[in-house]
Amino acid sequence: MQAFFDAASGAPPHPVARQALLAALDDGWADPGKLYTQARRARQLLDAARAATAEILRVRPDELAFTPSGTAAARLAVEGTRRGRQRAGSTLVHSAIEHSAVLYEAGDDAVSVPVDRLGRLDLDAWRAAVSRGGVALAALISASHEVGTLQPVAEAAEACAAHGVPLYVDAAQSVGRVPVPDGWSLLTASARKWGGPAGVGLLVVRKGTRWLSPYPENDGRDTGRDLPAIVAAAAALRAVAAERDAEAARLAPLVDRIRAVVAATVPDVEVVGDPVGRLPHLVTFSCLYVDGEALLHALDRHGFAVSSGSSCTSATLRPSHVLEAMGVLSHGNVRVSLHRQTTEAEVDRFLAELPGIVADLRAEAGVVGL
């Protein structure tokens, strides 16, 4: 039985999501924008899903929209705010460790703010960047999707507010895991990260934020085309929100054990990210003298599904831009992210087998004597 350790890419579907999806396939197949009986039932389901999600996020239902994915939501947040704030400027201020979708939208005049070796934002550099003229939007990921470091969202939001700059927070890894501090103007998330179905993202635009859709028809955000998936996403979010504190208390010690044992049993390894101010379910480490892709395949053969390097750009085989920005080792990188089905026995087996797997790969590469 394979141990799945890649919840940061997409958590296994929550049982509640499965149940809600099947029920919504019966009642929510019609177009909620129409007026006939089946459509009105679909509209009721959509409104209920929106209200439940908004309550968990502590926002107004009319501030929240569903998108086709978290990536689509991120791009809408950046594009829409730029269009809405054209008179203020076009510059995007962002951390150096943002999601690739945000970096893609950054533009030539973007200002990238560095992070330290733990992956934490340089607040002094952030304050200086948002104080300059012509800034349309500032973007800060709430917690690094690669190393788990929590970002100082509240302090960054305070700096943005002082200069009238809206703050966009990518909360894909935080929603359902840890609280997201207030002070932001826009927020996005992805249902598949909390055990909902793929194909559902969230975009929250606070009232008073200048946001203009980049699409010519409707607002480009909330079409309800995949209503059963939206209903399932809302049901899963409600369930994981109720379980959040208990799951964090269960998974955090397992991550602590991984951090400690890997550092003690694997030579020439660097465990990266903040050891304290971090997500409770995620840990990343890098092994010198080991190819990351080879390590991922070897772990897979031994029954462990993990991620290596940047999960968002793994197909390019490029080094992780997050690890590069932190200035840490990127060779032989492994990201382990746990979930509600992860067991202590699976973690113990992983820690028992990892040193031998790494040693074998190094021997195959001609590296000995470590």
Side-chain angles (χ1 to χ4, degrees):
M1 184 70 176
Q2 187 174 63
F4 183 77
F5 290 159
D6 194 23
S9 293
H14 195 286
V16 169
R18 294 176 181 271
Q19 298 166 7
L21 180 63
L22 292 175
L25 286 172
D26 290 333
D27 291 339
W29 51 267
D31 184 346
K34 303 301 182 180
L35 299 177
Y36 40 78
T37 301
Q38 296 91 333
R40 292 198 302 272
R41 174 56 181 155
R43 169 55 63 178
Q44 290 173 345
L45 291 174
L46 178 59
D47 290 344
R50 191 196 318 278
T53 304
E55 181 180 4
I56 293 168
L57 297 178
R58 305 190 311 276
V59 301
R60 293 169 40 157
D62 59 354
E63 293 176 326
L64 184 148
F66 296 103
T67 67
S69 67
T71 297
R75 298 188 67 172
L76 277 169
V78 176
E79 291 182 42
T81 308
R82 268 194 170 141
R83 285 172 58 88
R85 285 177 48 85
Q86 290 182 27
R87 293 183 180 180
S90 62
T91 299
L92 173 67
V93 172
H94 63 84
S95 79
I97 60 171
E98 293 302 302
H99 188 280
S100 55
V102 175
L103 299 181
Y104 180 83
E105 297 291 334
D108 295 336
D109 62 344
V111 178
S112 179
V113 179
V115 297
D116 63 19
R117 194 170 179 83
L118 295 178
R120 186 175 170 88
L121 182 74
D122 183 333
L123 273 172
D124 289 336
W126 178 269
R127 294 185 182 103
V130 299
S131 68
R132 56 186 288 164
V135 177
L137 177 66
L140 179 62
I141 198 166
S142 61
S144 169
H145 56 294
E146 290 198 36
V147 301
T149 300
L150 297 174
Q151 297 303 321
V153 173
E155 294 89 339
E158 183 178 350
C160 289
H163 298 283
V165 175
L167 174 64
Y168 157 53
V169 171
D170 174 359
Q173 293 297 334
S174 298
V175 170
R177 297 283 188 183
V178 295
V180 179
D182 293 325
W184 46 267
S185 299
L186 303 100
L187 177 142
T188 62
S190 173
R192 65 185 303 185
K193 310 297 184 185
W194 67 66
V200 179
L202 301 180
L203 170 62
V204 181
V205 181
R206 289 287 202 182
K207 291 298 179 184
T209 303
R210 293 186 177 274
W211 187 92
L212 183 63
S213 174
Y215 297 104
E217 297 181 2
N218 61 62
D219 65 3
R221 298 178 293 167
D222 186 30
T223 62
R225 288 177 180 170
D226 196 353
L227 180 55
I230 290 172
V231 172
L237 181 57
R238 178 181 290 177
V240 299
E243 302 165 352
R244 187 187 71 189
D245 293 345
E247 274 299 285
R250 186 180 74 88
L251 295 179
L254 295 180
V255 168
D256 287 338
R257 187 188 308 175
I258 295 172
R259 295 183 66 94
V261 174
V262 167
T265 60
V266 180
D268 290 289
V269 68
E270 182 177 10
V271 183
V272 300
D274 195 316
V276 178
R278 59 170 176 80
L279 292 169
H281 69 298
L282 192 154
V283 57
T284 298
F285 55 89
S286 298
C287 306
L288 195 60
Y289 312 120
V290 175
D291 177 76
E293 186 176 7
L295 180 54
L296 185 149
H297 285 301
L299 287 167
D300 184 53
R301 289 194 298 271
H302 282 77
F304 304 105
V306 300
S307 182
S308 178
S310 174
S311 62
C312 300
T313 56
S314 58
T316 67
L317 299 181
R318 293 174 54 189
S320 159
H321 72 278
V322 172
L323 300 180
E324 286 185 334
M326 292 169 60
V328 298
L329 181 66
S330 60
H331 294 87
N333 177 255
V334 172
R335 182 186 69 182
V336 175
S337 47
L338 312 181
H339 52 90
R340 63 186 303 275
Q341 296 176 4
T342 300
T343 66
E344 186 174 357
E346 289 176 330
V347 171
D348 288 342
R349 184 168 69 87
F350 174 77
L351 293 174
E353 296 189 28
L354 177 67
I357 294 172
V358 173
D360 289 345
L361 290 174
R362 286 171 171 167
E364 291 174 7
V367 179
V368 294
L370 296 179

